[in-house]
């Protein structure tokens, strides 16, 4: 049916539940019924064949192995502090390797029979179905299920609360960032009444407004943290939590802890200004309005999650119509005093845990538990004054340009698009859709990108757009823009890629003009804020200074070095280089890339009528500065995949885990037929290798195969095969992959294997055709390569044309056994 493990066939086990998921097309006769049979088999008809159990032991152990590393070591030390004296502190859902290796099939059967009971289950079905018919099918399929063993006594899963302060300070040689958080636990709050719903809204107000203050503080030159936030959540069925968390520079844990506590106390004592409350109210109402507007276009998965939460946690699921009407009544009445009162309750809980994490390295001393306690106590005694909220009274644009003339219009009937050309030379491709009611996506894109930067200035060029994003535009700082945009579902962000630059954004139809004004300002008046530059350097240095300690980062760096023949664009940015960034060069490069609008093409997809938006585009896109004709093109960066077999090993990390990537030179032209053949190669090979490495040998949790090709750049494209495994299996698995590639090149794939790959490709294509983002990307591609736009809607023909013989030939062409690389990560010695 084209179902893939992961997106369509999946399951998860958490502390408190196991959920099995099937995502099936409904246009195949009998397929939904077969899906229900499969679920019913999971629920009560498993064979639990000892041979299959032994295969699966390895798969689950490899899943466990894949989670090893600094984060798991930190987690294992923090969980006993978060969940003291409870079952949660004793064992993670994945289990323990020694148990996974040695349990008997009889023990697994006993667990299955004891806990997989009809009275503990729910079946959720959402989608293109007839509810009455589905109800009948479910009753027919699941009705025969019976209990197979006496009901066991439920374990005592309570999480005891206590009026205590618990401290966890964890250091690890592979941790790359310092952080600190304060977590308060409290009894789970009820959710079934309107008053409970209102309390939840007030709590979200508090988290949002406190988070906004943290964002503003992080931008200041004397900031004590790199970023901070407030959050709430559920720790167990009977315990909720509220937390304050901050990422800090190395050595700044105590200062960061003090800063977030002081700020929370400021909010607790003095509340929030009317302007802060008003901005948050606008954001909240806009969020619910979008959900309401999309009520008939909401994806099935969203409904599934609603019903899951209802069954598992008792969370009400009244539907967006009810919720929207409710928030319209409740939100206007929420006051600053009410938020302050809630803050006092949230911050009064004495059941607290402080979790501090830092890299373990020479020259850095982590705080002691005593220092954490002293800092916390001192911060809580600091006298605070009310927050001074700044407001912006000017509009986003003070001078709105007059619309430009439309010089040409043509239709592209094969894809239902209209192409409009403005007087400044910008061509706009407009594709109205009905996939979403409240979404418009757009991209203004032109050739060039970082390929035009001198190699020594590549870091400046690659960070120019992020810097402008932090600085703001149109004479407004980024923080001011956030305040002006309160309640507006509109955004636009510049980017500079290797071969292109542009501005990409989205908006609700009612806010499209705002998004286009942002685009105009970012093109014509990019910001240059020294404080934003300092923030970029602070955050960049903190992110990179310990990067080399992370085994996966070192592995990724080596992989990039090998597969690009050590090209300068693949070399990792360092903390030292961040310190030497030239702000003037960054601004100059950005402005040079956004000088001539005639170099750019605009693509717009979503919920609009062409005649309605052309006047807006004429005003904000047609008036962008231009020389009248294109003047820019990208340069060939000269990135080349190795011309021979190259093998490299990275030895780093203390855990018994490895990661391997095998890459074969594959640089297909952008021709749609050839691209489809390469896609078939990757699909077929992934299915074949998953069947062998996971299902038959049980030596990996997952294997992925994909094409990496930075078009329009040529010369560095490759098909990569990636898998994790036990270190001792790397050599044999690598050899097994090569054997399978040789076999497929010699014998070719079976028709069944090709049909599985084709079904998967077709299913993905059918889904993509209903997504605005897919159309936005594909329209750009056909324009970039001057292709007939009709290729977007004719892919089914190219998929149908794939045969075992075609795949066999493409395997020989795009998996050259004389030109590949193998890069493996192994534990350090």
């Amino acid at each position: 049916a084209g179902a893939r493990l992961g997106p369509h066939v999946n399951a998860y086990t958490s502390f408190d539940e196991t959920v099995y998921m099937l995502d099936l097309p409904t246009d195949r006769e009998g397929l939904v019924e077969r899906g229900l049979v499969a679920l019913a088999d999971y629920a009560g008809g498993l064979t639990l064949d000892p041979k299959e159990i032994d295969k699966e032991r390895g798969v689950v152990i490899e899943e466990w192995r894949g989670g090893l590393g600094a984060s798991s070591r930190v987690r294992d030390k923090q969980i006993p502090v978060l969940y003291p004296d409870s079952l949660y502190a004793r064992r993670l859902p994945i289990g323990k390797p020694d148990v996974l290796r040695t349990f008997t099939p009889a023990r697994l059967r006993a667990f299955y029979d004891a806990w997989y009971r009809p009275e503990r289950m729910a079946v959720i079905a959402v989608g293109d179905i007839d509810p009455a018919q589905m109800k009948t099918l479910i009753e027919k399929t699941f009705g025969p299920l019976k209990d197979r063993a006496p009901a066991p006594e439920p374990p005592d899963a309570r999480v005891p609360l206590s009026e205590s302060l618990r401290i966890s300070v964890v250091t690890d040689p592979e941790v790359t960032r310092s952080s600190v958080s304060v977590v308060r636990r409290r009894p789970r709050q009820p959710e079934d009444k309107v008053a409970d719903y209102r309390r939840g809204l007030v709590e979200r107000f508090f988290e949002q407004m406190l988070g906004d203050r943290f964002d503003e503080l992080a931008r200041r030159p004397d900031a004590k943290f790199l970023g901070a936030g407030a959050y709430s959540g559920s720790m167990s069925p009977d315990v909720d939590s509220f937390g304050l968390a901050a990422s800090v520079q190395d050595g700044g844990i105590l200062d960061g802890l003090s800063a977030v506590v002081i700020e929370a106390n400021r909010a607790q004592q003095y509340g929030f200004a009317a302007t802060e409350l008003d901005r948050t109210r606008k954001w909240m109402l806009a969020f619910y309005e979008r959900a309401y507007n999309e009520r008939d276009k909401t994806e099935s998965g969203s409904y599934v999650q609603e019903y899951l939460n209802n069954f598992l946690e008792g969370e009400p699921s009244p539907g967006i119509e009810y919720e929207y009407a409710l928030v319209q009544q409740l939100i206007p009445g929420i006051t600053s005093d009410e938020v302050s009162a809630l803050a006092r309750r949230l911050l009064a809980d004495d059941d607290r845990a402080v979790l501090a994490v830092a890299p373990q390295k020479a020259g850095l001393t982590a705080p002691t538990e005593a220092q954490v306690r002293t800092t916390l106590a001192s911060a809580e005694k600091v006298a605070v004054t009310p927050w001074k909220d700044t407001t912006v009274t000017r509009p986003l644009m003070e001078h709105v340009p007059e619309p430009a003339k439309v010089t040409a219009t043509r239709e592209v009937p094969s894809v239902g698009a209209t192409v409009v050309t403005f007087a400044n030379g910008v061509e706009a491709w407009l594709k109205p859709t009905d996939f979403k009611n409240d979404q418009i996506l757009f991209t203004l894109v032109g050739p060039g990108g970082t390929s035009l930067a001198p190699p020594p200035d590549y870091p400046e060029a690659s960070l120019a757009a992020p810097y402008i994003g932090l600085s703001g535009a149109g004479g407004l700082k980024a923080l001011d823009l956030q305040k002006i945009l309160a309640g507006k579902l509109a955004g636009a962000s510049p980017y500079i890629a290797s071969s292109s630059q542009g501005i990409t954004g989205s908006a609700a139809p009612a806010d499209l003009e705002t998004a286009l004004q942002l685009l105009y300002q970012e093109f014509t008046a990019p910001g240059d804020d020294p404080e934003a530059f300092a923030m970029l350097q602070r955050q960049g240095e903190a992110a990179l200074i310990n990067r080399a300690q992370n085994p996966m980062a070192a592995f990724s760096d080596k992989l990039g070095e090998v597969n690009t023949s050590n090209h300068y664009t693949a070399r990792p940015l360092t903390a030292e280089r961040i310190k030497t960034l030239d702000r003037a060069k960054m601004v100059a490069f950005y402005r040079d890339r956004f000088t001539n609008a005639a170099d750019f093409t605009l693509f717009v997809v979503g919920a609009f009528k062409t005649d309605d938006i052309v006047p807006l585009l004429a005003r904000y896109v047609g008036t962008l500065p231009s020389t009248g004709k294109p003047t820019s093109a990208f340069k060939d960066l000269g990135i080349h995949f190795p011309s021979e077999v190259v093998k490299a090993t990275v030895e780093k990390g203390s855990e018994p885990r490895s990661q391997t990537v095998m890459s074969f030179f594959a640089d297909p032209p952008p021709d749609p037929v050839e691209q489809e053949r390469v896609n078939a190669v990757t699909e077929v090979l992934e299915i074949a290798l998953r069947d062998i490495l996971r299902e038959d040998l049980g030596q990996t949790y997952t294997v992925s195969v994909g094409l990496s090709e930075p078009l329009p750049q040529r010369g560095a494209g490759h098909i990569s095969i990636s898998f994790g495994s036990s270190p001792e299996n790397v050599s044999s698995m690598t050899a097994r992959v090569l054997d399978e590639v040789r076999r497929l090149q010699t014998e070719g794939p079976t028709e069944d294997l090709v049909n599985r790959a084709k079904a998967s490709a077709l299913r993905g294509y059918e889904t993509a055709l209903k997504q605005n983002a897919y159309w936005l990307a594909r329209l750009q591609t056909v324009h970039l390569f001057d292709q007939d736009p009709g290729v977007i809607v004719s892919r089914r023909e190219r998929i149908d044309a794939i045969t075992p013989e075609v795949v066999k030939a493409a395997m020989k062409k795009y998996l050259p056994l004389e030109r590949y690389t193998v890069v493996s990560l192994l534990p350090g010695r």
Side-chain angles (χ1 to χ4, degrees):
R4 300 185 62 174
L5 186 67
H8 306 127
V9 180
N10 213 337
Y12 74 84
T13 293
S14 74
F15 278 116
D16 299 299
E17 73 267 356
T18 296
V19 178
Y20 297 88
M21 299 164 282
L22 291 180
D23 186 348
L24 299 171
T26 58
D27 57 358
R28 295 272 300 272
E29 184 68 29
L31 188 58
V32 172
E33 290 87 337
R34 284 158 56 198
L36 288 175
V37 170
L39 285 179
D41 284 346
Y42 301 165
L46 294 188
T47 58
L48 298 178
D49 185 321
K51 292 181 180 179
E52 293 299 326
I53 289 173
D54 287 341
K55 288 182 181 180
E56 197 68 18
R57 292 180 199 270
V59 175
V60 181
I61 289 171
E62 290 308 316
E63 182 182 8
W64 164 83
R65 190 189 311 279
L68 297 178
S71 60
S72 67
R73 294 192 294 271
V74 170
R75 176 203 61 206
D76 290 348
K77 293 177 181 178
Q78 289 180 341
I79 281 185
V81 176
L82 288 169
Y83 294 93
D85 303 319
S86 76
L87 284 178
Y88 293 88
R90 299 183 197 170
R91 186 180 313 206
L92 294 172
I94 192 74
K96 298 181 178 181
D98 56 338
V99 175
L100 293 170
R101 292 187 182 99
T102 60
F103 71 81
T104 64
R107 178 69 190 94
L108 186 63
R109 167 71 67 182
F111 181 90
Y112 180 62
D113 289 346
W115 293 103
Y116 279 53
R117 316 174 65 81
E119 68 269 20
R120 301 185 66 84
M121 298 177 186
V123 180
I124 297 169
V126 177
D128 182 19
I129 55 176
D130 175 79
Q133 183 181 15
M134 179 59 70
K135 179 173 180 289
T136 300
L137 284 171
I138 290 172
E139 290 172 342
K140 175 184 175 182
T141 309
F142 288 84
L145 293 180
K146 305 294 182 186
D147 291 337
R148 301 176 302 281
E153 186 70 25
D156 182 0
R158 290 174 298 175
V159 177
L161 299 180
S162 63
E163 295 185 0
S164 64
L165 172 61
R166 302 173 304 283
I167 311 290
S168 169
V169 179
V170 181
T171 63
D172 190 277
E174 294 175 19
V175 162
T176 60
R177 301 289 291 269
S178 295
S179 64
V180 63
S181 58
V182 182
V183 181
R184 284 176 162 86
R185 305 187 305 174
R186 66 183 190 274
R188 182 76 179 270
Q189 303 295 296
E191 299 182 66
D192 53 331
K193 294 182 171 60
V194 170
D196 302 323
Y197 189 84
R198 181 190 178 91
R199 184 193 63 247
L201 288 174
V202 175
E203 190 164 336
R204 288 170 59 188
F205 264 70
F206 175 53
E207 292 170 14
Q208 176 71 41
M209 291 189 288
L210 187 57
D212 287 346
R213 288 186 180 181
F214 286 149
D215 288 345
E216 185 167 341
L217 289 171
R219 294 175 179 273
R220 295 179 181 176
D222 60 348
K224 301 301 183 185
F225 46 73
L226 300 166
Y231 63 92
S232 59
S234 172
M235 294 183 64
S236 75
D238 58 338
V239 173
D240 282 342
S241 67
F242 175 77
L244 304 171
S247 61
V248 299
Q249 291 175 302
D250 287 349
I253 285 176
L254 296 178
D255 284 344
L257 173 62
S258 179
V260 295
V261 171
I262 289 171
E263 212 49 52
N265 289 343
R266 189 191 315 278
Q268 181 186 19
Q269 291 184 37
Y270 292 102
F272 296 89
T275 48
E276 295 177 278
L277 197 71
D278 183 59
R279 287 195 297 270
T280 302
R281 184 179 289 117
K282 289 177 179 177
W283 280 123
M284 201 81 75
L285 288 172
F287 168 81
Y288 280 99
E289 184 172 1
R290 163 160 282 181
Y292 178 75
N293 289 340
E294 297 288 10
R295 61 192 181 281
D296 62 333
K297 299 295 174 66
T298 302
E299 281 82 1
S300 298
S302 296
Y303 287 109
V304 169
Q305 192 60 52
E306 286 274 327
Y307 303 146
L308 263 178
N309 293 345
N310 178 267
F311 173 67
L312 295 172
E313 302 176 14
E315 179 183 305
S317 181
I320 188 58
E321 289 91 346
Y322 181 91
E323 283 198 58
Y324 183 63
L326 194 58
V327 298
Q328 296 286 95
Q329 298 175 31
L330 298 179
I331 286 180
I334 292 175
T335 66
S336 180
D337 288 343
E338 192 174 2
V339 178
S340 301
L342 177 81
R344 284 191 287 273
R345 291 197 299 273
L346 290 176
L347 297 171
D349 294 319
D350 291 326
D351 185 318
R352 293 174 296 167
V354 178
L355 310 175
V357 180
Q360 181 182 317
K361 63 178 184 178
L364 179 64
T365 302
T368 64
E369 285 194 25
Q371 288 174 318
V372 171
R373 289 179 183 274
T374 299
T375 299
L376 188 63
S378 298
E380 290 173 339
K381 296 176 182 177
V382 170
V384 294
T385 56
W387 175 269
K388 294 181 180 179
D389 186 50
T390 58
T391 58
V392 182
T393 57
R394 59 156 281 190
L396 179 57
M397 286 187 68
E398 294 183 304
H399 304 288
V400 176
E402 292 297 318
K405 291 183 179 180
V406 174
T407 59
T409 302
R410 61 187 172 91
E411 301 298 323
V412 188
S414 59
V415 294
T418 300
V419 180
V420 176
T421 305
F422 299 105
N424 62 354
V426 175
E427 197 175 74
W429 289 57
L430 313 176
K431 164 70 176 172
T433 69
D434 59 1
F435 310 144
K436 291 284 187 180
N437 297 325
D438 213 32
Q439 183 188 69
I440 298 175
L441 305 180
F442 62 84
T443 296
L444 180 73
V445 59
T450 57
S451 72
L452 302 182
D457 296 343
Y458 177 72
E460 277 82 4
S462 61
L463 290 172
Y467 168 55
I468 298 300
L470 288 173
S471 290
L476 291 164
K477 291 190 175 185
L479 191 63
D480 296 330
L481 283 175
Q482 289 180 17
K483 293 179 179 180
I484 287 176
L485 295 175
K488 298 282 189 182
L489 296 176
S493 302
Y495 71 90
I496 302 178
S498 61
S499 303
S500 65
Q501 66 282 325
I503 299 172
T504 184
S506 64
D511 295 326
L512 179 60
E513 183 169 10
T514 298
L516 293 174
Q517 288 182 344
L518 278 171
L519 179 150
Y520 185 93
Q521 299 283 50
E522 288 165 347
F523 194 103
T524 62
D528 181 14
D529 180 4
E531 290 186 359
F533 183 70
M535 179 182 179
L536 176 74
Q537 288 187 304
R538 280 197 310 272
Q539 293 184 338
E541 183 181 358
L544 297 171
I545 194 168
N546 304 307
R547 186 175 184 276
Q549 296 177 209
N550 184 330
M552 287 303 294
F555 173 68
S556 176
D557 292 346
K558 175 58 71 172
L559 184 63
E561 174 191 323
V562 169
N563 284 354
T564 64
S565 302
N566 195 26
H567 197 269
Y568 69 86
T569 58
R571 294 170 192 161
L573 190 62
T574 64
E576 291 72 23
R577 185 64 176 88
I578 283 283
K579 294 177 183 177
T580 65
L581 286 174
D582 188 322
R583 189 175 117 232
K585 283 185 177 180
M586 295 168 75
V587 175
F589 185 79
Y590 182 94
R591 288 176 175 165
D592 181 66
R593 292 292 77 235
F594 293 89
T595 296
N596 179 21
D599 289 329
F600 290 78
T601 304
L602 179 72
F603 301 88
V604 188
V605 177
F608 63 84
K609 293 181 180 179
T610 300
D611 290 344
D612 292 344
I613 73 164
V614 167
L616 284 176
L617 300 180
R619 184 182 298 276
Y620 298 110
V621 178
T623 55
L624 293 173
S626 169
T627 64
K629 59 181 179 180
T631 58
S632 181
F634 73 93
K635 290 182 180 179
D636 184 352
L637 284 166
I639 308 174
H640 297 293
F641 191 83
S643 57
E644 57 189 0
V645 176
V646 177
K647 298 181 180 180
T649 299
V650 176
E651 294 183 351
K652 201 168 188 65
S654 57
E655 300 286 5
R657 59 172 296 197
S658 67
Q659 188 71 29
T660 301
V661 175
M662 305 175 66
S663 306
F664 294 79
F665 176 66
D667 201 32
D671 172 67
V673 172
E674 203 64 17
Q675 290 284 326
E676 195 60 58
R677 290 172 177 171
V678 176
N679 183 70
V681 166
T682 61
E683 290 273 5
V684 165
L685 188 57
E686 181 170 294
I687 294 171
L689 291 177
R690 185 177 66 237
D691 288 350
I692 294 168
L693 300 181
R694 175 184 165 118
E695 305 302 337
D696 291 344
L697 299 178
Q699 292 181 339
T700 188
Y701 178 63
T702 184
V703 57
S704 60
V705 182
L707 172 68
S708 176
E709 189 180 26
L711 292 172
Q713 299 285 338
R714 299 294 299 279
H718 53 275
I719 291 175
S720 289
I721 303 162
S722 176
F723 55 86
S725 68
S726 172
E728 61 267 21
N729 288 334
V730 168
S731 295
S732 63
M733 292 177 70
T734 302
R736 190 66 185 84
V737 169
L738 289 173
D739 287 345
E740 184 62 14
V741 170
R742 291 190 189 97
R743 188 191 71 77
L744 290 169
Q745 291 177 342
T746 304
E747 303 174 11
T750 63
E751 189 168 353
D752 175 67
L753 187 56
V754 172
N755 286 339
R756 288 167 66 186
K758 288 168 67 174
S760 179
L762 186 60
R763 182 166 180 195
Y765 173 57
E766 290 173 341
T767 302
L769 281 174
K770 297 293 186 181
Q771 297 171 344
N772 288 326
Y774 174 80
W775 277 96
L776 189 70
R778 292 296 289 126
L779 287 172
Q780 292 179 66
T781 299
V782 298
H783 178 266
L784 175 64
F785 298 113
D786 196 25
Q787 297 171 348
D788 177 2
V791 300
I792 299 174
V793 293
S794 62
R795 187 184 170 200
R796 178 186 287 271
E797 299 170 11
R798 297 190 292 279
I799 294 174
D800 289 342
I802 298 296
T803 64
E805 292 74 22
V806 167
V807 176
K808 178 181 176 181
M811 289 268 185
K812 293 179 179 178
K813 186 175 182 179
Y814 294 116
L815 294 168
L817 293 171
E818 74 284 354
R819 194 175 181 185
Y820 68 89
T821 67
V822 182
V823 181
S824 294
L825 172 67
L826 297 174
R829 296 176 180 175

